[in-house]
Amino acid sequence: MSNKELYSPEGLRLDGRRWNELKSFTCKVNTHQTSSDGSSYVQQGNTKVMCKVNGPLEPKSKANSNNNNASITVNLNIASFSPVERRKRPKSDRRIKEMMTILEKTFSETVITKLYPRTQIIVDCYVLSQDGGILSAVANSVTLALIDAGIAMYDFVSSINVGLYNNSIPILDLNHLEEGDMSFLTLGIVGKSEKLAMMLLEEKIPFDKLETLLGIGISGAQRIKDLMDEELRKHGKLLISTAAS
Amino acid sequence: MSTVIPKKRLASGLTVTQKVFVRSRNGGATKVVSEHYLRDDIPCYSKACTRCPEIVKPDANNQYPNFVLSDSPVYAEKYGHHYVVLDTNIVLLAIDLLENKDAFCDVIVPQTVLEEVRNRSFPIYTRLRALCKSDEKRFAVFHNEFSEDTFVSRLLNETINDRNDRAIRRCCDYFQKHLNQHRDKKVKQINVVFVCNDKKNRDAAAGAGIMADSLVDYVTNLPNGEDLLDFVPNMEDGPSFSHKKETKFPDYYTTARLMGGIKNGTLYQGSINISSYNFLEGTISVPSFKKPLIIMGRENLNRSFNGDQVVVELLPKSKWKTPSNEIVEEENMDANDNAEDGDSPNEIISDKERLFLLKEAQKASSEESSTRIQPTAKIVGITKRSWRFYVGQISENSVAKDSRTSNAARNCFVILMDRSLPKIRIRTRKAGELLGQRIVVAVDSWPSTSKYPEGHFVKSLGAIESVQAETEALLLEHSVEYKPFSKKVLECLPKEGHDWKVPTKLDGDEFIKKRKDFRDKLVCSIDPPGCVDIDDALHAKQLPDGNWEVGVHIADVTNFVKPNTPLDAEGAYRGTSVYLVDKRIDMLPELLGTDLCSLKPYVDRFAFSVIWTLDNDANIIDTNFHKSIIRSREAFSYERAQLRIDDASQQDDLTKGMRALLDLSIKLKQQRLDAGALNLASPEVKVHMDSETADPGEVEIKKLLATNSLVEEFMLLANISVAKKIYDAFPQTAMLRRHAAPPATNFEVLNEMLRVRKNMSISLDSSKALADSLDRCVDPQDPYFNTLLRIMATRCMMAAEYFPSGMFSYGEFRHYGLASEIYTHFTSPIRRYCDVVAHRQLAAAIGYESLDFSHRDKDKMELICKNINKRHRNAQFAGRASIEYYVGQVMKNNNNDTQEGYIIKVFSNGIVVLVPKFGIEGLIKLEVLGDANSAKFDDENFSLSFKDQNGDAKTISVFEHVNVQIKSVLDPATSKRKAQLVLV
Ligand SMILES: [Zn+2]
């Protein structure tokens, strides 16, 4: 048991945030210009994630080719030094597999795949440091890298997780200690809408609380979207000014 | 290790920094980095502040924080109007004083302190949090670690403790400046006083211009300081307790050594059980040894209290002992110890004790058969103290007569009601005043240099032997919550109060629609006379095919007690109703227990029904569960039910149903006995026994009627059926009850006594074998012998316990006493919390409503079970203690009554006699029996020979029948009125 209060009666969390505050969020795009078509780096608190996108390219094998759409392959690498205690996770780890499948499904729906028939888009994600919310950080970095690669998408996918403390209090954007102690939901939304592109529930949440949690998660994800949008515009302006000079 | 960590400013008044520390676990070191946010919106919670109300933010429920600190706090000459900032050591030491309603209002608890307290003692943390919640005490937690104004980083080479002390001082400084700057100018000056018992920290505070004082000095300077000084715990950095002489207990091993030892198997951990006959002997059961380890002598017991979690080290085989055969009481051994140590501290080991230990050592070495020698150990560490509040009274001879009227503080001893615990030394000014009163004390510490633990006075309950003081004492001693229900709890009851009615419209909400209407069934209840909380009612009806439809209807308590309400929390906390001889302490408010839930006759009530189809041999063909509405036709007492059944002229359907129930119950009972259910006491005594736990319940002897067991059999059947159903639905979290088979070692001594004295034996192969062998143990000369043996066998059994099903494998669910594979408690939800949980789980299992999270979470269920097991046990002890007190009072009026008794234990210097008529047992010491010097103790034959008062030689042994005179005497040591027995 931790010697701290997970959520104090005064309304503060382990790390000093309030229930609806995000971890400090920073992101960069176009971080690996030479080795990829599009790349990004996302940091949410101490969770640090990097993403590289290559494609659309000729598929390596016929199996990956689809006559009408592009096929998206996501690889997720979790560095063995990324958690608090060093641990090697094989790529076949069930949880990693699950996350890759979710990401592939989500982005196959958001990328306008019919524009790139018979091609493959390869997304490589690297988790460098973990402090909760890996899936949402990865999803955010994939969005940024795809945009950087100039691949057509319907809209952003922005993602965040939200937990339920003591079966009554919703908590936004959990760190790893909080994730260990409560049931939580990771969700991704499309653009600034309330449409869910992705949802994953860990453990169990009473049905009557779900709506509240979704509402809070959606507004959190919208804030993330704004932050990513701001960074992209800054990057765009920089590109234009360098091109002009 | 320390690094300069950059702070990064985020938007909206938030700064983030990193906390880095090194955690060692399993020998390896891990560097842990976590985020730490600093904010500018943490309010000071003072009503006098003009700034903070502007900056506060709402929580998840859109509630704004409450500014609790008063704008005109308490005034003291030295400090002016002031708030108090507490240091960690004050909270840990003096939580009782902090809870006092006459002092310590308007207190600031820095987060640093709160976290340190939580780290050191979770129970104290819980109490501190409760203080912060209460409106009267006005405690505010200030999150100094998260405020950018008060956060301090650790400096190079600074220890954690020094850093925390600095953080607390910074917090004091901030508050003072903040109040000076932002205080509403209409309000008088408010100061901040730092109360701390660490001189170094106080000096540093004074250096920084912070007002700081020790607890004693602070309390002394308060206007009502005189009255409060007694509550100040006994541990100052001052000179109040100094022990000069080298006599001391062995020091405990370091934590690392204890952990290492437990891990590599050289040390053992367990809970110590100190003999109630001999305060110098304790036993501890550890899985590695078949027999419990003996711990003998004060030095080896090394300051442990009965029930402490201790770590022991085995002594060399040459020092192993046999269990003592002597009665040793602290009051005889150390009667002359001086409470005021003065120049000659009490030696820890007295000469008398040395003599006792020498005798025990000789006994062990002369023991021919080494079978009785048990592994012996010494205590080398205590991992968890069982300290709580204790009830006792001041030892008269520890207070000098001539000083009783003076008001000077002095040390005196408090003798506790629980004889297996040592005297507590307290320091008080009111010793004279408190003599002859039942008082509550708390234990503070037991330094290795002190022969006695040190504590402080908490409160007085009233004069010794007054009913009110004694009742409160025994409730406190057994941690029974007896305060009236709070307003919040009572607010959860239906607003209509006693006028609440079952709705007449049955197509109301979805829940009413799901109920079955059983009002046409001929239901009746059978209970003891005068019963007002009717939990259960029954009906039986013959079906066209000759089978029987039998229904057990249980009060639908969960219709009123919803999860996550204050009412539910209170019920879960109390766990059970407690029945004293003259008083009942309810688990749920009376309105529910005796009216709305009670299945009273002639009115509609909600019920939870179990309906079986039984064939004529009482085999179950079909079981169904329904939430229902019933209308009981009649509430019978056992006698009236019996009369009605026996009266052949009664031929109505209700009576016929009752006859059928009786008939079926006899068959059910036979089935149960055939399966090996235990019948632990013969009918005569059985009236005072709960057949499941075999605990005595009542003093009076009642005639046992067939109707008693009628009700009992169907309740058992209902419990078993429900247990199966909820286990089916919730395999991990079903609330169940198990009763483990007793280990053979428990019966060793009893079997040996039987073999030697009666040439009989008890078999432990199975519960069936045990039941049969108990039936065979009959002494034609002594018809009571079999009952006596059953009573003694009961004491060798394990205690039944509640558990969530995921905690054991199915095979271990077994209820040994009832010979049932699975069991739970379902039939008394008014007075047991287990039943409430079982009701909710069953309701969910049949799809009536969804199950609350706390009942389908394994960890939460384990906590619930742990609590109700403890409450259940305490309730039994409290009930027994109440009977003991009651019998003592009855005896006071009819002395010199001669009664039959049986010897159940023989010591080398006394015997223990059980008097069946009153269910009491008493110790008769050798001095009272006759000439102590002539006595010869034969431990192989469990007998004692001596010359009685007339000089005639006499030999008595275990199981023997004796006549005793019962006198009621006030035990001079504990001031408990007890029945004293004298052999005639
Ligand atoms: Zn303020």
Side-chain angles (χ1 to χ4, degrees):
Chain A
M1 190 187 61
S2 155
N3 62 342
K4 302 263 177 64
E5 292 160 329
L6 218 51
Y7 184 75
S8 70
E10 289 77 26
L12 292 168
R13 289 153 69 174
L14 284 170
D15 54 8
R17 284 182 292 152
R18 296 195 185 276
W19 62 280
N20 59 349
E21 287 174 345
L22 297 175
K23 287 185 277 207
S24 70
F25 181 94
T26 44
C27 58
K28 288 195 184 82
V29 287
N30 208 6
T31 48
H32 297 74
Q33 295 160 357
T34 48
S35 62
S36 63
D37 296 324
S39 53
S40 69
Y41 171 78
V42 168
Q43 183 170 346
Q44 289 181 263
N46 281 334
T47 298
K48 299 170 190 173
V49 175
M50 202 180 83
C51 178
K52 296 197 295 185
V53 169
N54 280 299
L57 0 125
E58 200 66 33
K60 272 188 194 136
S61 69
K62 265 279 173 252
N64 288 335
S65 133
N66 182 319
N67 271 338
N68 302 318
N69 299 314
S71 72
I72 297 183
T73 313
V74 175
N75 296 310
L76 182 58
N77 303 285
I78 297 188
S80 59
F81 52 80
S82 65
V84 175
E85 258 153 85
R86 198 182 180 96
R87 189 156 63 100
K88 184 120 181 88
R89 286 171 95 157
K91 260 200 172 169
S92 56
D93 186 313
R94 216 183 56 80
R95 285 196 34 84
I96 296 184
K97 275 246 151 74
E98 185 183 19
M99 283 196 257
M100 295 201 301
T101 316
I102 288 177
L103 290 166
E104 276 171 8
K105 279 199 179 141
T106 306
F107 285 98
S108 302
E109 296 297 319
T110 348
V111 169
I112 311 176
T113 48
K114 61 172 186 252
L115 296 181
Y116 315 106
R118 288 185 298 281
T119 64
Q120 189 183 11
I121 299 170
I122 297 173
V123 181
D124 293 302
C125 309
Y126 302 87
V127 176
L128 307 174
S129 166
Q130 298 186 32
D131 189 19
I134 314 180
L135 179 61
S136 45
V138 170
N140 293 332
S141 73
V142 174
T143 301
L144 289 172
L146 283 171
I147 293 173
D148 184 39
I151 291 169
M153 290 169 78
Y154 291 104
D155 210 331
F156 282 63
V157 172
S158 55
S159 172
I160 198 73
N161 65 12
V162 51
L164 187 59
Y165 170 69
N166 213 2
N167 242 359
S168 56
I169 298 161
I171 305 269
L172 189 67
D173 200 2
L174 310 182
N175 68 23
H176 83 275
L177 287 172
E178 290 169 329
E179 278 187 352
D181 265 320
M182 49 185 115
S183 311
F184 66 95
L185 189 67
T186 303
L187 49 87
I189 60 161
V190 182
K192 281 216 90 167
S193 71
E194 299 197 342
K195 277 189 226 149
L196 288 179
M198 170 174 105
M199 182 153 106
L200 177 68
L201 172 63
E202 307 275 344
E203 293 225 0
K204 52 201 169 189
I205 282 174
F207 191 64
D208 51 335
K209 304 278 181 207
L210 196 61
E211 201 178 323
T212 330
L213 287 195
L214 282 176
I216 286 153
I218 287 170
S219 71
Q222 287 173 345
R223 262 146 64 200
I224 297 273
K225 193 256 165 184
D226 289 341
L227 290 166
M228 294 197 295
D229 199 38
E230 195 182 307
E231 173 64 29
L232 279 168
R233 281 171 201 282
K234 213 166 78 190
H235 180 72
K237 278 194 190 123
L238 190 77
L239 280 184
I240 294 168
S241 65
T242 41
S245 62
Chain B
M1 190 209 66
S2 166
T3 39
V4 179
I5 297 149
K7 289 185 193 171
K8 195 175 107 194
R9 179 150 286 279
L10 306 170
S12 66
L14 219 57
T15 316
V16 67
T17 178
Q18 304 281 341
K19 268 204 325 196
V20 180
F21 57 96
V22 175
R23 183 179 66 191
S24 59
R25 183 187 281 173
N26 304 335
T30 319
K31 181 175 165 189
V32 180
V33 181
S34 58
E35 280 191 306
H36 191 86
Y37 290 82
L38 301 177
R39 35 196 332 127
D40 64 354
D41 62 353
I42 294 184
C44 65
Y45 298 107
S46 168
K47 285 203 172 88
C49 180
T50 53
R51 176 180 159 262
C52 295
E54 313 280 310
I55 58 162
V56 292
K57 295 208 177 111
D59 68 5
N61 298 324
N62 220 8
Q63 299 283 315
Y64 282 89
N66 202 358
F67 282 65
V68 290
L69 299 173
S70 152
D71 52 8
S72 60
V74 65
Y75 180 84
E77 212 161 308
K78 183 171 174 192
Y79 312 114
H81 290 283
H82 64 278
Y83 295 153
V84 171
V85 175
L86 294 173
D87 192 13
T88 314
N89 49 26
I90 304 291
V91 181
L92 289 172
L93 275 179
I95 185 78
D96 303 334
L97 178 58
L98 299 182
E99 284 167 350
N100 192 312
K101 63 180 189 312
D102 299 324
F104 291 100
C105 296
D106 300 307
V107 172
I108 298 156
V109 182
Q111 181 191 5
T112 315
V113 169
L114 190 77
E115 283 171 6
E116 282 186 334
V117 168
R118 187 173 160 129
N119 242 345
R120 296 278 295 278
S121 161
F122 196 76
I124 294 183
Y125 160 80
T126 319
R127 287 165 71 183
L128 183 62
R129 264 295 178 196
L131 281 174
C132 299
K133 240 174 137 179
S134 101
D135 297 332
E136 301 92 57
K137 291 292 291 181
R138 307 192 294 275
F139 273 51
V141 173
F142 179 71
H143 284 264
N144 62 316
E145 302 283 356
F146 294 144
S147 165
E148 61 180 11
D149 298 316
T150 51
F151 175 74
V152 299
S153 329
R154 197 165 151 196
L155 303 174
L156 199 63
N157 297 329
E158 191 179 34
T159 67
I160 286 275
N161 278 334
D162 287 346
R163 182 255 165 219
N164 286 351
D165 287 348
R166 195 157 58 84
I168 297 166
R169 292 198 300 272
R170 172 73 166 265
C171 178
C172 299
D173 187 47
Y174 166 79
F175 253 90
Q176 188 66 67
K177 292 194 174 129
H178 180 85
L179 288 170
N180 291 345
Q181 196 185 342
H182 297 292
R183 176 168 43 92
D184 187 343
K185 294 308 169 213
K186 284 181 284 220
V187 174
K188 287 193 216 77
Q189 165 78 20
I190 298 172
N191 292 320
V192 170
V193 180
F194 179 40
V195 179
C196 169
N197 266 6
D198 174 2
K199 186 147 186 320
K200 215 175 80 211
N201 199 0
R202 273 200 316 262
D203 291 345
I210 302 161
M211 235 193 282
D213 246 332
S214 74
L215 184 61
V216 175
D217 291 343
Y218 171 73
V219 170
T220 317
N221 279 313
L222 286 179
N224 57 346
E226 271 299 286
D227 308 335
L228 295 169
L229 268 182
D230 271 340
F231 300 102
V232 175
N234 223 331
M235 211 155 61
E236 299 298 324
D237 45 358
S240 65
F241 277 108
S242 56
H243 305 276
K244 296 178 200 95
K245 218 171 164 188
E246 283 300 301
T247 47
K248 65 191 288 256
F249 286 105
D251 281 326
Y252 297 135
Y253 290 177
T254 59
T255 318
R257 185 162 169 200
L258 292 178
M259 290 309 171
I262 292 168
K263 213 172 165 190
N264 66 27
T266 52
L267 300 179
Y268 306 93
Q269 195 171 16
S271 140
I272 181 146
N273 178 20
I274 292 175
S275 160
S276 50
Y277 294 116
N278 182 348
F279 82 104
L280 291 177
E281 182 183 302
T283 51
I284 156 170
S285 294
V286 296
S288 333
F289 289 89
K290 248 166 100 191
K291 287 182 174 178
L293 306 179
I294 297 185
I295 295 145
M296 205 174 281
R298 217 183 297 241
E299 198 176 340
N300 289 338
L301 284 167
N302 203 354
R303 295 170 277 157
S304 55
F305 267 54
N306 193 12
D308 283 352
Q309 287 292 323
V310 300
V311 179
V312 298
E313 183 174 54
L314 217 56
L315 292 173
K317 226 171 186 152
S318 58
K319 290 194 178 164
W320 286 13
K321 305 262 165 72
T322 58
S324 172
N325 286 313
E326 205 165 328
I327 304 154
V328 183
E329 282 170 348
E330 186 185 20
E331 210 38 36
N332 298 336
M333 199 75 113
D334 305 309
N336 300 324
D337 272 355
N338 202 344
E340 299 282 0
D341 267 0
D343 293 330
S344 57
N346 304 310
E347 268 190 278
I348 283 173
I349 313 278
S350 63
D351 288 342
K352 272 191 181 173
E353 184 179 337
R354 287 209 183 87
L355 204 66
F356 163 77
L357 290 174
L358 188 69
K359 263 200 305 198
E360 290 298 328
Q362 282 167 348
K363 185 165 68 99
S365 60
S366 67
E367 198 76 42
E368 292 135 42
S369 59
S370 61
T371 52
R372 291 193 55 221
I373 291 193
Q374 291 186 13
T376 304
K378 66 173 180 186
I379 290 177
V380 295
I382 291 179
T383 47
K384 197 164 156 242
R385 283 288 189 185
S386 58
W387 288 348
R388 52 179 170 89
F389 284 131
Y390 294 104
V391 183
Q393 83 282 347
I394 292 186
S395 161
E396 201 148 338
N397 49 23
S398 73
V399 184
K401 285 213 171 56
D402 53 342
S403 64
R404 278 180 196 174
T405 49
S406 100
N407 255 339
R410 74 175 76 79
N411 291 331
C412 54
F413 284 132
V414 176
I415 296 169
L416 302 183
M417 287 176 82
D418 186 340
R419 298 306 305 274
S420 59
L421 300 174
K423 299 188 265 209
I424 313 280
R425 177 164 38 200
I426 64 165
R427 192 171 176 82
T428 174
R429 289 158 193 278
K430 295 193 234 171
E433 206 180 305
L434 293 177
L435 273 177
Q437 300 204 11
R438 278 265 172 258
I439 62 168
V440 180
V441 295
V443 185
D444 300 320
S445 65
W446 195 343
S448 62
T449 46
S450 166
K451 183 167 178 181
Y452 296 101
E454 288 166 5
H456 66 271
F457 167 74
V458 176
K459 66 173 172 183
S460 168
L461 300 177
I464 283 168
E465 277 216 85
S466 69
V467 175
Q468 184 232 335
E470 296 300 332
T471 309
E472 205 174 332
L474 82 88
L475 292 174
L476 255 170
E477 270 295 280
H478 300 100
S479 341
V480 175
E481 181 58 68
Y482 58 93
K483 286 191 208 111
F485 289 98
S486 72
K487 206 169 132 244
K488 273 186 188 152
V489 169
L490 295 176
E491 273 168 6
C492 302
L493 299 175
K495 281 172 205 65
E496 300 89 333
H498 289 283
D499 297 327
W500 180 90
K501 295 251 156 37
V502 166
T504 40
K505 261 177 60 192
L506 297 187
D507 50 359
D509 62 25
E510 49 161 328
F511 292 113
I512 286 274
K513 277 190 219 155
K514 286 187 198 166
R515 283 187 187 268
K516 286 250 183 191
D517 187 354
F518 284 153
R519 281 176 294 187
D520 57 329
K521 309 273 184 212
L522 295 173
V523 172
C524 67
S525 61
I526 309 176
D527 287 286
C531 178
V532 283
D533 45 351
I534 304 173
D535 277 312
D536 49 75
L538 299 135
H539 87 269
K541 192 176 102 184
Q542 188 146 34
L543 297 170
D545 60 2
N547 287 335
W548 291 91
E549 173 194 281
V550 175
V552 163
H553 310 275
I554 306 298
D556 192 5
V557 172
T558 53
N559 186 57
F560 300 94
V561 184
K562 296 291 182 205
N564 302 322
T565 56
L567 176 61
D568 182 53
E570 185 70 24
Y573 175 71
R574 296 192 178 207
T576 172
S577 292
V578 179
Y579 292 81
L580 305 183
V581 172
D582 52 350
K583 198 175 172 149
R584 185 185 74 222
I585 290 126
D586 290 320
M587 179 180 85
L588 296 172
E590 210 168 6
L591 175 67
L592 292 183
T594 62
D595 191 0
L596 305 193
C597 292
S598 179
L599 301 177
K600 297 196 294 189
Y602 329 124
V603 287
D604 292 352
R605 282 289 176 249
F606 281 153
F608 209 153
S609 306
V610 183
I611 309 286
W612 298 281
T613 310
L614 298 181
D615 68 14
N616 270 313
D617 295 321
N619 296 311
I620 300 175
I621 295 171
D622 185 30
T623 312
N624 281 301
F625 307 93
H626 304 286
K627 286 265 186 173
S628 61
I629 303 171
I630 61 159
R631 174 186 276 261
S632 169
R633 295 297 190 271
E634 195 65 64
F636 293 106
S637 67
Y638 291 126
E639 287 87 347
R640 276 192 46 225
Q642 189 71 50
L643 286 175
R644 180 131 174 191
I645 289 170
D646 294 345
D647 183 353
S649 69
Q650 299 270 7
Q651 285 301 331
D652 57 294
D653 285 343
L654 179 61
T655 318
K656 279 185 190 158
M658 286 161 67
R659 284 192 192 117
L661 287 171
L662 182 61
D663 191 41
L664 290 166
S665 77
I666 292 167
K667 288 169 183 159
L668 282 170
K669 183 166 186 179
Q670 197 51 50
Q671 285 176 8
R672 215 158 52 77
L673 292 177
D674 290 345
L678 297 177
N679 179 12
L680 280 171
S682 80
E684 200 187 343
V685 189
K686 191 162 176 189
V687 192
H688 359 173
M689 303 276 194
D690 178 340
S691 88
E692 191 224 322
T693 52
D695 296 313
E698 274 169 343
V699 194
E700 290 166 65
I701 293 178
K702 282 191 207 157
K703 222 172 79 190
L704 186 64
L705 299 165
T707 43
N708 287 54
S709 83
L710 182 166
V711 176
E712 197 184 310
E713 288 307 324
F714 282 106
M715 293 309 130
L716 294 176
L717 193 64
N719 285 337
I720 293 169
S721 296
V722 170
K724 283 179 186 154
K725 180 78 182 175
I726 58 177
Y727 173 61
D728 218 33
F730 304 102
Q732 285 299 307
T733 57
M735 170 65 95
L736 299 177
R737 187 168 172 82
R738 69 193 278 271
H739 182 207
T745 46
N746 284 14
F747 278 88
E748 245 167 40
V749 175
L750 181 60
N751 247 336
E752 180 67 11
M753 284 181 189
L754 271 180
R755 190 185 63 78
V756 173
R757 303 303 316 172
K758 298 276 180 183
N759 198 18
M760 296 174 185
S761 80
I762 301 177
S763 162
L764 283 167
D765 297 341
S766 67
S767 62
K768 175 100 178 108
L770 177 61
D772 292 347
S773 62
L774 278 174
D775 287 343
R776 279 196 304 273
C777 291
V778 179
D779 183 347
Q781 260 91 61
D782 188 350
Y784 185 73
F785 172 71
N786 189 263
T787 310
L788 178 72
L789 185 63
R790 283 174 199 272
I791 293 173
M792 291 172 75
T794 308
R795 297 183 181 183
C796 304
M797 304 294 278
M798 305 292 282
E801 61 176 350
Y802 298 111
F803 68 101
S805 49
M807 228 166 101
F808 292 97
S809 65
Y810 188 83
E812 292 167 302
F813 288 6
R814 197 174 165 72
H815 195 294
Y816 184 81
L818 296 175
S820 172
E821 267 176 36
I822 186 166
Y823 192 67
T824 189
H825 272 163
F826 172 76
T827 53
S828 301
I830 296 177
R831 57 189 178 85
R832 284 188 310 229
Y833 192 72
C834 165
D835 307 52
V836 173
V837 179
H839 272 236
R840 290 190 186 133
Q841 291 183 334
L842 183 62
I846 61 170
Y848 176 77
E849 61 190 1
S850 62
L851 185 58
D852 184 62
F853 177 73
S854 58
H855 299 336
R856 51 188 166 79
D857 182 83
K858 215 173 145 187
D859 297 338
K860 295 234 159 90
M861 281 297 292
E862 269 178 38
L863 287 180
I864 292 174
C865 288
K866 212 174 141 193
N867 181 53
I868 57 179
N869 279 326
K870 189 177 87 192
R871 299 286 169 194
H872 184 82
R873 214 162 38 237
N874 283 339
Q876 290 173 355
F877 289 147
R880 272 180 236 167
S882 169
I883 291 166
E884 197 179 299
Y885 168 73
Y886 175 80
V887 169
Q889 292 298 315
V890 171
M891 292 298 141
K892 204 156 88 177
N893 306 325
N894 60 341
N895 263 340
N896 303 330
D897 200 3
T898 301
Q899 290 292 344
E900 289 193 346
Y902 287 86
I903 299 175
I904 57 169
K905 216 172 164 95
V906 180
F907 291 105
S908 63
N909 57 351
I911 55 175
V912 178
V913 175
L914 175 89
V915 180
K917 171 143 185 212
F918 300 109
I920 53 167
E921 57 184 84
L923 181 70
I924 308 182
K925 288 193 204 160
L926 192 55
E927 297 95 88
V928 185
L929 292 170
D931 179 10
N933 294 326
S934 68
K936 260 185 68 191
F937 173 61
D938 181 351
D939 63 348
E940 279 188 7
N941 286 312
F942 304 98
S943 63
L944 188 64
S945 333
F946 58 93
K947 285 206 181 82
D948 70 6
Q949 260 103 357
N950 306 330
D952 301 332
K954 227 175 162 178
T955 300
I956 49 177
S957 42
V958 80
F959 295 134
E960 226 164 82
H961 174 258
V962 287
N963 281 321
V964 287
Q965 213 174 58
I966 305 178
K967 277 190 202 162
S968 168
V969 288
L970 207 55
D971 185 326
T974 58
S975 297
K976 249 180 173 172
R977 187 164 283 281
K978 261 194 162 162
Q980 189 183 346
L981 308 179
V982 181
L983 222 51
V984 285

